[in-house]
């Protein structure tokens, strides 16, 4: 028995490995000593990303048999559970989104508990939550609310937002109260840590099925010399962040000593331009960029319930969060050079 335990390979598991955050995270983790990566996704990873992983499993987080196999083959010390259906997509198939976003997370939390039982150490569980957990009731309230703190306005209007908020609760339950009536309750096996991400903007990839997608879509369309019709109004304002800062934040939260963390869930943010201000920057950077505003009433209604700003002082105080990119630096030093390069050969 012990022989087979020792034979298991020590890894960090990344679900949703082929997605925007997964991709960036794997390349960053691979540069850091000491992490062997086990990637899980529905589709095969691109060659460059797959090469950074110790192994890739093509499969579904809803496939419990597959997850059981992972437990027997690998010793998992940390999980980045990134797989999810985003907010717009989830509204087309809410029950499927619930299944993937909630049941999938529950499966991974159970896997974490089992892993911890095997190797006797807590499994760190990094969970990307979202500004979609907030639900402001009107534009007037949004204006009045200012920078929203973690405990305020948590009445989401989307299935995705409900899923993320509930999974935060599940994570806290697994970390603190799992099987609290069992004889051997007490120290739990899951060290659950969540970040409520703002909209993310990557120079290399485009999101699929989100409602904050208008900003990345705008700049990528301009770089490809394609016209773009924004599905939100010019005055729409929500928080955003450059992808490298989002990846750094996940790693910083993972590395933070547990006794420094006063909470399981943290807001983070970098800048909050209006869609019109973002469009102006894109027009300034790409001659002839054609951006018009044709709001989609329903998607607009979703974004209008998300805060214009969030208060991330808890993350700054507890684990030293500080984004490297403000809006200007994000454009000049990260987005523009990388996006230009990316489309140069097309
Ligand atoms: C989405 O738009 O669904 C995501 C998010 C804000 O979590 N980008």
């Amino acid at each position: 028995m012990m022989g087979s335990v020792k034979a298991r390979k020590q890894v960090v598991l990344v679900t949703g490995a082929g997605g925007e955050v997964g991709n960036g995270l794997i390349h960053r983790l691979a540069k850091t000593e000491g992490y062997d990566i086990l990637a899980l996704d529905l589709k095969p990873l691109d060659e460059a990303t797959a090469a950074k992983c110790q192994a890739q499993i093509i499969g579904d987080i809803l496939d419990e048999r597959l997850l059981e196999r992972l437990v027997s083959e690998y010793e998992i010390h940390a999980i980045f559970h990134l797989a999810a259906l985003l907010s717009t997509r989830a509204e087309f198939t809410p029950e499927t989104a619930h299944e993937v976003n909630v049941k999938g997370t529950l499966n991974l939390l159970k896997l974490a508990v089992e892993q911890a039982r095997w190797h006797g150490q807590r499994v760190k569980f990094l969970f990307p939550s979202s500004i979609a957990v907030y639900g402001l009731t009107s534009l007037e309230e949004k204006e009045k609310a200012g920078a929203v703190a973690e405990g305020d306005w948590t009445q989401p209007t989307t299935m995705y937002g409900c899923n993320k908020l509930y999974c935060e609760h599940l994570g806290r339950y697994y970390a603190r109260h799992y099987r609290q009536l069992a004889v051997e309750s007490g120290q739990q096996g899951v060290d659950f840590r969540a970040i409520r991400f703002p909209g993310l903007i990557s120079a290399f990839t485009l999101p699929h099925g989100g409602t904050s997608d208008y900003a990345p879509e705008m700049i990528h369309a301009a770089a490809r010399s394609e016209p773009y019709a924004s599905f939100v109004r010019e005055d729409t304002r929500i928080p955003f962040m450059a992808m490298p800062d989002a990846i750094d934040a996940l790693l910083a939260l993972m590395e933070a000593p547990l006794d420094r963390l006063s909470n399981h869930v943290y807001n983070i943010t970098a800048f909050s331009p209006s869609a019109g201000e973002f469009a102006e920057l894109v027009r300034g950077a790409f001659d002839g960029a054609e951006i018009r505003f044709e709001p989609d009433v329903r998607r607009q209604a979703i974004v209008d319930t998300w805060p214009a700003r969030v208060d991330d002082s808890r993350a700054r105080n507890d684990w030293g969060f500080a984004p490297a990119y403000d809006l200007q630096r994000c454009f000049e030093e990260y987005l523009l050079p990388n996006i230009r390069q990316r489309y140069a050969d097309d």
Side-chain angles (χ1 to χ4, degrees):
M1 188 66 144
M2 284 310 285
S4 67
V5 173
K6 281 205 180 108
R8 295 189 314 158
K9 300 165 207 101
Q10 288 204 12
V11 291
V12 167
L13 172 63
V14 180
T15 74
E20 276 209 294
V21 180
N23 216 276
L25 177 70
I26 287 172
H27 286 266
R28 260 304 252 99
L29 275 175
K31 284 191 195 142
T32 318
E33 283 281 297
Y35 295 112
D36 280 329
I37 303 162
L38 172 62
L40 174 60
D41 203 289
L42 286 171
K43 294 193 207 130
L45 300 179
D46 63 68
E47 253 176 61
T49 311
K52 308 276 178 202
C53 302
Q54 159 115 2
Q56 73 163 306
I57 312 282
I58 297 156
D60 194 334
I61 52 169
L62 296 176
D63 180 348
E64 292 180 49
R65 285 254 169 82
L66 173 83
L67 298 183
E68 275 163 25
R69 236 183 52 222
L70 293 190
V71 174
S72 68
E73 274 180 47
Y74 295 94
E75 193 171 299
I76 298 169
H77 286 266
I79 298 173
F80 290 88
H81 174 41
L82 310 177
L85 293 193
L86 296 184
S87 54
T88 290
R89 195 153 159 226
E91 288 310 307
F92 289 101
T93 53
E95 290 78 16
T96 306
H98 185 277
E99 187 76 359
V100 173
N101 295 350
V102 175
K103 183 69 176 28
T105 302
L106 197 69
N107 287 349
L108 269 300
L109 285 165
K110 188 167 152 236
L111 180 145
V113 169
E114 281 162 14
Q115 282 287 324
R117 237 182 243 143
W118 271 99
H119 55 59
Q121 289 162 31
R122 279 173 171 248
V123 172
K124 286 189 182 169
F125 196 104
L126 277 294
F127 181 71
S129 188
S130 163
I131 48 165
V133 302
Y134 297 110
L136 290 130
T137 48
S138 66
L139 285 174
E140 293 70 43
E141 291 297 354
K142 178 166 167 161
E143 178 74 32
K144 257 202 303 193
V148 172
E150 284 86 348
D152 299 335
W153 296 103
T154 48
Q155 277 163 342
T157 64
T158 59
M159 177 54 99
Y160 171 76
C162 293
N163 296 162
K164 288 290 183 189
L165 187 60
Y166 176 57
C167 287
E168 292 177 2
H169 289 309
L170 279 181
R172 190 171 32 78
Y173 168 76
Y174 270 78
R176 294 199 185 181
H177 310 293
Y178 184 63
R179 291 201 166 147
Q180 55 195 294
L181 296 183
V183 178
E184 287 178 22
S185 62
Q187 168 82 327
Q188 304 302 337
V190 183
D191 175 357
F192 180 83
R193 305 172 178 205
I195 292 179
R196 285 185 187 159
F197 280 114
L200 301 180
I201 312 177
S202 166
F204 304 100
T205 51
L206 272 161
H208 292 291
T211 320
S212 60
D213 295 3
Y214 59 90
E217 283 174 359
M218 214 180 263
I219 186 164
H220 280 262
R224 292 192 305 255
S225 308
E226 289 170 6
Y228 183 71
S230 165
F231 58 82
V232 296
R233 292 185 314 267
E234 283 188 75
D235 67 346
T236 304
R237 196 182 292 279
I238 58 168
F240 282 98
M241 172 174 287
M243 188 60 81
D245 276 333
I247 308 287
D248 282 350
L250 274 173
L251 294 178
L253 181 57
M254 176 170 80
E255 297 296 345
L258 184 57
D259 60 5
R260 294 293 310 274
L261 303 181
S262 60
N263 274 280
H264 292 282
V265 177
Y266 292 91
N267 278 343
I268 61 171
T269 182
F271 39 81
S272 285
S274 70
E277 287 160 2
F278 199 83
E280 269 316 294
L281 280 167
V282 175
R283 288 187 189 107
F286 295 93
D287 281 346
E290 257 182 72
I291 301 166
R292 38 185 217 288
F293 287 85
E294 290 175 8
D296 170 317
V297 185
R298 297 195 178 98
R299 288 180 99 184
Q300 178 72 58
I302 291 176
V303 185
D304 285 343
T305 68
W306 294 351
R309 293 183 182 77
V310 293
D311 174 358
D312 62 6
S313 50
R314 193 191 265 183
R316 289 176 184 266
N317 292 335
D318 284 9
W319 45 278
F321 169 72
Y325 295 101
D326 60 16
L327 182 58
Q328 198 178 341
R329 193 161 170 235
C330 173
F331 253 79
E332 286 169 9
E333 294 179 32
Y334 169 63
L335 290 175
L336 295 180
N338 288 309
I339 285 186
R340 286 200 174 108
Q341 167 92 34
R342 194 204 134 155
Y343 294 109
D345 306 329
D346 289 5

